[in-house]
Amino acid sequence: MRLRSRESRRYRGNWKDRSKRTLIAAALTTTVVAGTTGWAVGNEEQPITGPPPGTQAWRADHTQGVRLPDPATASPARVDAFFGSLSDARQRELAERHPSVVGNLDGAPISLRYEANSLSLKAERDRERARANDPDLTRQDHERARSLVARYEELLDPGRRILAFDPRGRGQIAEVYGDLAIADRVSVIVPGSDIDLSTFDRTSDKYGTPAGMARSLHAAAGDRTAVVAWVGYTTPVGLGPDAATGRLAEAGAPRLARFVQGLTASGAPRPAVFCHSYGSVVCGLAAPKLPASDLVVLGSPGMRADSVADLHTTARVWAARDDSDWIGDVPNVELFGLGHGTDPAGPGFGARRVPAERAEGHTGYFAPGTDSLQAFAAIAQTPSGTAPGKNGIDGSESSAGARPIGERS
C-alpha cells in the first residue's frame, strides 16, 4: 500500500510537471501569434476547395457518348483510364470545350493539361482586358484587371509548362521545370505562407518562392529530374492566426495528395516532396495518402505529428533547419488548435537529418552553394526504392536516432 502511495504521488508530480510545461507552451504560442517573436498579424483566408471551375458544364456534357469522370469523386487512376480510352482527337475536343477542368484534372495526360491551361490563361487574359476597359468599373477595378493581364501574359510565355491553373481567390498554379515526359525522377515543392498566383515566382526573395526553389533544385539535380512548383492550396497571409492553426492545411492536404496521385497515375515515378514552412503542415496531414518516395521538410513549425511513425507513410522523412532560421523560436506545441506539434528537425522525431549549416534564414535552404541544396539534389536524384548515396555529402550525424543523409534504410 505504501509503495502504491509513492507511485501515486510520483504520477501526480509528473502530471503536474507536464501540465505546467503545457501551460507555459500555450502562453508562448499565444505570444508568438501576437507577433512578439517575429510573427506578423495576417488575414483570415477562405480556402479554395472542391472541383475546378467549369465542373457543372463538364458533368452535363454527354457528347462523348459516355459519362465523363466526375472531378470531385473520380480517382486519378480512373481519370487516367478514361483518357487512355480516347483518341488524341477526342482528348483535345474535351480540352477545348472544358479547359479549366482538363487543366486541373489530376490523372489527365500531362501534355493535354499544358494545352488546356494555355487555353484557360488566354481566356482569363481576354476577360481581364475587357474589364480593364469597362466604363462601368472603378479605377481600382481597371488597375487590378491590367495587373492580371500582365500576369497572364507572363504565364503564357513560350516554354512555360503550366500543369494547373485556377484563378479563383488569390489564384493557384503549378509549374513544371524540366520535362515530366522523360524525367527519371520527379520532385514537388510545397510552399508556406504568402504564396499565390502573383507571388509564386516573384523576383524578390527568390529562393523563398516555390518557383525559385524548383529552378534551383532542377539546376542542381540535372535534366533527368523534373521539379514541380505546386501552389494548389490557399496559403496563410502573414504569419498570424491562419499560420498558427491547421485550418488551411486541412483544406490543402487532400488537394496535395490528389495532385501527387495524379502524377503517378499519369506515369511519373513517386516524387520526392519538399515542404517549406507551413507547407510542412500540409505535407504532414497529407502523408498517409501521399505516394511519395521522400518527404523533406525545411524550416518546419511542425507536421501535426509527434514522430515519423505518426505520419503513417512509407516515404523516407528528412528534416532541415539552420540555426539562423527564426522558425526555431516558435514553440513546438499543439494546444487548443494552436501550434503544429513536435519539431521534425529535433531529437526524438525520427527524421533523417539534412545538413543546413551554410543555409541562411528561413528562406535560404535552396540557395546555390548551400549544403542543404546539395543534400536536396542527392535526394531528388535518387530513384524510388533506393537510398541516396553520399554523392559529395558528408553524411553528418543525426540527432537522437535520426538517420544522417547517406545511411541506408
Side-chain angles (χ1 to χ4, degrees):
M1 182 70 68
R2 192 174 299 166
L3 177 60
R4 188 174 299 172
S5 177
R6 285 199 299 269
E7 289 176 346
S8 178
R9 287 196 300 272
R10 186 181 302 115
Y11 175 82
R12 286 197 300 270
N14 290 340
W15 184 86
K16 288 179 180 178
D17 288 343
R18 288 195 298 270
S19 298
K20 184 177 180 180
R21 288 196 297 270
T22 299
L23 289 171
I24 291 171
L28 286 171
T29 301
T30 303
T31 300
V32 168
V33 173
T36 59
T37 59
W39 287 45
V41 174
N43 300 320
E44 183 175 275
E45 295 294 306
Q46 295 305 312
I48 299 298
T49 58
T55 293
Q56 185 174 353
W58 169 272
R59 288 170 174 160
D61 188 339
H62 301 293
T63 57
Q64 294 282 343
V66 295
R67 178 176 294 179
L68 303 180
D70 191 328
T73 59
S75 69
R78 166 77 181 92
V79 172
D80 173 69
F82 169 77
F83 277 95
S85 70
L86 302 179
S87 66
D88 289 347
R90 294 182 73 186
Q91 289 182 13
R92 287 195 174 89
E93 286 175 12
L94 282 176
E96 289 170 0
R97 282 203 303 274
H98 307 283
S100 61
V101 172
V102 174
N104 294 286
L105 193 56
D106 297 311
I110 300 297
S111 60
L112 191 68
R113 291 180 66 172
Y114 293 155
E115 293 176 22
N117 284 316
S118 179
L119 293 173
S120 291
L121 282 162
K122 289 174 181 176
E124 287 297 313
R125 177 199 60 191
D126 294 346
R127 188 176 75 87
E128 294 300 333
R129 275 180 177 165
R131 285 174 54 82
N133 296 300
D134 187 337
D136 293 332
L137 297 180
T138 67
R139 179 180 298 177
Q140 185 178 14
D141 291 332
H142 291 162
E143 291 175 354
R144 169 67 175 162
R146 285 193 290 269
S147 176
L148 285 171
V149 169
R151 170 84 285 207
Y152 297 147
E153 288 283 9
E154 292 171 350
L155 296 175
L156 284 165
D157 282 348
R160 298 194 77 160
R161 297 181 170 104
I162 306 302
L163 189 57
F165 165 65
D166 188 339
R168 294 177 297 174
R170 289 157 44 213
Q172 298 181 358
I173 192 164
E175 184 169 12
V176 178
Y177 299 84
D179 192 341
L180 272 174
I182 62 172
D184 295 331
R185 293 173 288 278
V186 175
S187 293
V188 176
I189 306 291
V190 181
S193 297
D194 296 312
I195 300 297
D196 53 34
L197 184 67
S198 65
T199 60
F200 89 101
D201 59 349
R202 64 178 180 240
T203 55
S204 62
D205 190 24
K206 179 167 61 173
Y207 300 112
T209 69
M213 295 176 190
R215 288 191 188 99
S216 185
L217 181 60
H218 180 250
D223 289 337
R224 294 178 65 187
T225 297
V227 186
V228 185
W230 180 81
V231 188
Y233 80 105
T234 303
T235 68
V237 172
L239 294 173
D242 271 348
T245 66
R247 184 177 63 91
L248 295 182
E250 289 165 2
R255 299 173 74 83
L256 173 62
R258 185 178 176 87
F259 177 79
V260 176
Q261 291 165 11
L263 291 179
T264 57
S266 299
R270 287 192 305 150
V273 182
F274 293 82
C275 318
H276 179 238
S277 195
Y278 189 85
S280 65
V281 186
V282 180
C283 290
L285 294 174
K289 295 184 178 181
L290 201 60
S293 63
D294 297 85
L295 280 177
V296 188
V297 299
L298 44 141
S300 173
M303 300 181 75
R304 299 245 152 182
D306 292 331
S307 67
V308 167
D310 289 338
L311 294 173
H312 303 290
T313 179
T314 59
R316 292 175 295 241
V317 181
W318 310 78
R321 192 185 72 212
D322 74 82
D323 290 340
S324 64
D325 188 340
W326 60 260
I327 204 75
D329 296 328
V330 174
N332 290 107
V333 298
E334 185 180 349
L335 186 68
F336 307 130
L338 291 175
H340 304 299
T342 304
D343 178 6
F349 189 82
R352 302 165 184 239
R353 180 181 159 214
V354 175
E357 284 75 16
R358 295 202 296 273
E360 294 184 6
H362 189 56
T363 58
Y365 295 93
F366 283 87
T370 57
D371 46 357
S372 49
L373 176 60
Q374 184 182 26
F376 295 160
I379 296 167
Q381 291 168 339
T382 304
S384 297
T386 61
K390 292 187 177 180
N391 194 26
I393 301 168
D394 62 10
S396 55
E397 292 183 0
S398 59
S399 59
R403 301 181 188 90
I405 190 166
E407 182 179 327
R408 293 188 177 273
S409 303

